[in-house]
Amino acid sequence: MSAPHLPKVAGIDPEVPVSTQTAAPLREIPAAPGAFIQDRLAGWVSDLTTLHELTERLASTATLDAALNELLHAGAALVGARRGLLVLERAGTTTPSTTLGLGLGPADLGHLETVERSATALGRVLDGPPEAADARDGIATPDLLGDQDLDPRHREVATRLGYAASYALPLASEAAGRLGGAVWFYDEPGEPSEKQRHLVGLYARYATEHLARLTELERARADIATVAEELLPSRLPRIPGVRLAARHRTGPQGGGDWYDALPLPDHALGLAVGSVGGSGPSAMAAMGRLRASLRAYAVMEGEDPVAVLSDLELLLRLTEPARTATALFAYCEPAARKVVLAGAGHTPPLVLGDRRCEYVETTLSAPLGMLACWEAPSVEFSPAPGETVLLYTDGLLRRTGDAMDRAFARLHSAAASVPKADRYDPAAVTDHVLRAMLPDGLDRSDSTEDVVVLAAHFD
């Protein structure tokens, strides 16, 4: 007869003997293998995250000034400093250097400029050979006041400004070359750690590439603005009985908005504004040709604005059939207080005075280059003494970001709100209208729209 079997319990084998000894309680958790490596990896991830955030902020800057400010602040955070100085200068160019301070006022910058350049770490970074180790890795001066060889003037300035150490770094990369240098100041003796130097070096090389792109972009914008200004009147004519003022802003890519004011026979005056479709050098060149042609037609037959624009339409259709443009031409006789105007797809003028503020009712017409035949007649009106006729391009309306009907209402409100004391000054009228329409300013860099405003005040 076999021995009885013990009952089976889930998870327990009854045939395995149970130990009679109790294991000692676990008093401490042993360190996991590779904990040191994990800590190092966590530190690297944190550093790379910080570097990524700083470079993202730098990449979002659209102007050179904003990028330089961001670079100074980010570099100070990376090396643990509170103040800094940056000098941007490109070898082989005639562009003047740019100096920017962090935590330093104009007087502080003036004191620093009195120190001989070769006596400072920043000067050695800027003037040293590019292949030198200092030019690549930067120069740390952990104890300025304890340096027996320190230039006396440098010691005096450091004592006056209250900094005891510095770290200078070049702004250089293989592609962009050396653009300048930066130095950060410490209130107490010290220097950045090896890790901090590595991070700020990576950041500085990326920043150099970004600064090089922004420098070229701003140089191109400056060239475009110069060409655009040369294509427009260098000065406005002086005609008895009328005073003129104009404001113009060219977009960063260069646009085709333009204006003109030219004296005509018998003390008459021709006023014109217009806009060529597109942007860039092609639109600017077309704008120059269109304006020059209109001047010729205005001299020949300015008394008939419809004939002037008809000739311009024919010229544009024959020479540039793929291009469109809008234009408005006004023939003014200040002595007779008479204005005759015609428009081709252009916004109507606005008349502002003590008794009225209203748009001139012009006839509708398609833009130049889109007309099968000219059908829109001219319009004649008489400005009263003290009234101002405001001509403008639709870029002024589009810059507001509103729908066109709201933009027209906004322009009317801006003109009506001109103080009475300023209504006899065309420059004051244009400036007030622009401030009311564009609170961020006429030179806002993120706008691609050209803006033209031409004001004629009749005495």
Side-chain angles (χ1 to χ4, degrees), residues 108-124:
D108 300 331
L109 296 178
H111 287 305
L112 288 169
E113 289 178 354
T114 63
V115 182
E116 186 178 353
R117 181 161 162 150
S118 60
T120 66
L122 179 59
R124 294 196 294 274

Side-chain angles (χ1 to χ4, degrees), residues 343-366:
H346 203 80
T347 51
L350 183 67
V351 180
L352 167 66
D354 292 335
R355 296 180 178 273
R356 63 172 172 170
C357 179
E358 61 187 21
Y359 289 102
V360 177
E361 293 186 6
T362 57
T363 54
L364 297 177
S365 170

Side-chain angles (χ1 to χ4, degrees), residues 247-297:
R247 298 292 183 267
H248 174 253
R249 189 264 188 189
T250 302
Q253 298 179 352
D257 285 16
W258 55 277
Y259 69 95
D260 206 349
L262 65 156
L264 296 175
D266 300 326
H267 303 288
L269 173 69
L271 299 176
V273 291
S275 178
V276 175
S279 61
S282 175
M284 293 173 61
M287 176 260 285
R289 293 191 294 268
L290 200 67
R291 173 176 171 262
S293 301
L294 184 139
R295 290 176 70 93
Y297 297 143

Side-chain angles (χ1 to χ4, degrees), residues 366-391:
L368 300 174
M370 299 178 64
L371 296 168
C373 62
W374 194 277
E375 298 178 351
S378 61
V379 174
E380 181 178 331
F381 68 98
S382 298
E387 289 189 333
T388 300
V389 179
L390 207 64
L391 285 71

Side-chain angles (χ1 to χ4, degrees), residues 328-339:
L328 185 146
F329 179 73
Y331 177 80
C332 309
E333 296 181 9
R337 304 195 186 284
K338 173 184 174 183
V339 177

Side-chain angles (χ1 to χ4, degrees), residues 352-355 386 415-425 428-429 432 457:
L352 167 66
D354 292 335
R355 296 180 178 273
S417 66
V418 176
K420 289 188 176 181
D422 294 337
R423 294 188 178 186
Y424 295 90
D425 182 358
V429 171
H432 178 90
H457 177 80

Side-chain angles (χ1 to χ4, degrees), residues 212-235:
R213 291 190 292 269
L214 288 179
T215 301
E216 293 299 325
L217 180 60
E218 294 209 352
R219 185 180 295 114
R221 287 175 176 173
D223 292 342
I224 287 175
T226 301
V227 172
E229 292 299 327
E230 292 296 326
L231 290 174
L232 295 174
S234 57
R235 61 183 181 86

